[in-house]
Amino acid sequence: STIRDIEEINYLAIKNYVPKLYGGKVTFFSAAEEACPEENLTGWRKLAQEVEVVEVPGDHQTMIKEPCVQELAKALEKNISKADE
């Protein structure tokens, strides 16, 4: 099936991908209700020179749904504006 083919292609891509170190800053939007927020940051801290953490309401699933997504949108907008300065 098409879905199974996509899953296999995604698996192979993940298996074969070797991430490179990033010399800049990564902004990580962290869900406030996440059970283990540090666990989510571990990989990013290994790959980026600097990781800025911005906490937003919700958990991994609800941070992108109403009403939490409004706060995520505000945080994104603020960070994009700051980057343009």
Side-chain angles (χ1 to χ4, degrees):
S1 80
T2 303
I3 292 175
R4 189 164 291 139
D5 291 344
I6 292 169
E7 288 174 346
E8 185 175 333
I9 290 167
N10 285 343
Y11 171 77
L12 290 173
I14 290 168
K15 182 180 172 193
N16 295 322
Y17 180 72
V18 178
K20 295 183 175 85
L21 296 179
Y22 177 63
K25 178 174 80 172
V26 170
T27 303
F28 183 83
F29 295 89
S30 178
E33 297 170 25
E34 201 62 40
C36 300
E38 276 302 311
E39 190 176 296
N40 295 327
L41 287 168
T42 301
W44 289 110
R45 288 194 169 125
K46 289 178 183 176
L47 293 174
Q49 180 176 336
E50 180 184 353
V51 179
E52 173 188 23
V53 178
V54 176
E55 191 173 273
V56 295
D59 61 29
H60 187 74
Q61 300 297 321
T62 61
M63 69 187 279
I64 59 170
K65 297 179 181 172
E66 293 289 353
C68 297
V69 74
Q70 295 299 321
E71 294 302 315
L72 175 59
K74 288 177 191 173
L76 282 166
E77 184 175 50
K78 180 179 176 183
N79 277 270
I80 291 169
S81 295
K82 186 171 63 173
D84 288 341
E85 295 174 354

